[in-house]
Amino acid sequence: MKTNSDTPQKLYIGLDVHKEETVIALLEAGRNAEPRQYGSITTSQHALERAIRRIAKQQKRELSDLEVCYEASGCGFWIARRLLQMGVKCEVIAPSLIPTRSGDRVKTDKRDAAKLARMHRSNDLVAVNIPDSVDEAIRDLCRARTDAVDDLRRAKSRLLALLRRLG
C-alpha cells in the first residue's frame, strides 16, 4: 500500500536561458528546501533533453514529476514545446510580471535560475501562452515586415532631408 510519503513529490526546475548557455537550478517541493545549482549547459535541444533526463534519473523521478519554468526571451518557445513533448510540465514566464524586491539589484544567471524555481514552487509567476511553431513563424514574419516598413520610412525621410538641404 502506498502512503503519501511514498509518492514522489514534484521537483521544480528553474532555467535561465540565453543564446549560448542555460543555467539550471533545482528545488524540492518541501517547504524548507533551498534551491541548488545543477550547473550550466549549452542552449541546444540535445543538451537540454539529456540534462532533463539525467536530472530525473538522478532524483529517481518520472519526467511527469518535473516542473520547469523559464523566462520568455529571444530564444523562442522551442524549449517549452520540446519539454511538453517529453512529458515534462513547462511554463514560460513573462519577465515583466516577475515580482522583484526593492534593493535587489544583483542579477546573475545562477540567482535568476534559483529565483525562478523558488517562485514557481510558490506559484507567484504568470505564465504566457505557448504558441505552436506555425503561430510563432507567422509572428516572426509580421515582425520582420513591420521592421522593413519602418526602415523604408526612415530611409525615405533621410533622403528627403538630404534633397531639401541640397536644394
Side-chain angles (χ1 to χ4, degrees):
M1 179 173 136
K2 278 193 168 186
T3 62
N4 285 342
S5 62
D6 292 339
T7 59
Q9 291 189 345
K10 298 272 185 209
L11 179 69
Y12 296 92
I13 301 174
L15 303 177
D16 190 39
V17 179
H18 298 287
K19 183 179 177 182
E20 299 294 326
E21 182 180 65
T22 298
V23 177
I24 303 173
L26 307 176
L27 180 62
E28 298 287 335
R31 177 178 225 147
N32 296 326
E34 285 297 315
R36 62 186 191 277
Q37 296 301 316
Y38 175 77
S40 61
I41 59 171
T42 59
T43 305
S44 68
Q45 183 173 340
H46 176 70
L48 181 69
E49 286 177 22
R50 193 168 159 216
I52 294 296
R53 290 185 198 283
R54 185 177 289 154
I55 289 168
K57 187 175 180 181
Q58 286 174 350
Q59 301 292 321
K60 297 177 178 65
R61 299 174 195 238
E62 298 292 322
L63 289 175
S64 59
D65 295 330
L66 306 179
E67 290 202 17
V68 178
C69 72
Y70 70 96
E71 286 183 19
S73 66
C75 291
F77 295 97
W78 66 267
I79 295 171
R81 283 194 292 268
R82 183 60 197 133
L83 290 175
L84 290 171
Q85 285 175 352
M86 290 172 59
V88 177
K89 185 179 178 205
C90 181
E91 291 187 350
V92 180
I93 307 303
S96 60
L97 299 177
I98 295 176
T100 55
R101 283 186 256 160
S102 61
D104 189 15
R105 302 215 193 292
V106 179
K107 281 186 57 72
T108 64
D109 295 345
K110 290 179 181 180
R111 279 188 178 187
D112 287 348
K115 180 179 176 183
L116 281 171
R118 191 179 301 114
M119 290 185 155
H120 188 52
R121 179 184 65 183
S122 64
N123 209 14
D124 289 340
L125 299 173
V126 177
V128 297
N129 179 43
I130 301 170
D132 61 0
S133 56
V134 174
D135 286 343
E136 192 172 10
I138 291 171
R139 283 182 185 180
D140 289 342
L141 181 64
C142 290
R143 287 185 185 122
R145 184 189 181 283
T146 302
D147 290 344
V149 168
D150 288 345
D151 290 344
L152 177 65
R153 183 182 47 76
R154 281 196 285 288
K156 282 182 181 179
S157 182
R158 279 192 296 266
L159 181 62
L160 286 173
L162 175 70
L163 292 175
R164 267 189 241 115
R165 267 196 317 269
L166 298 177

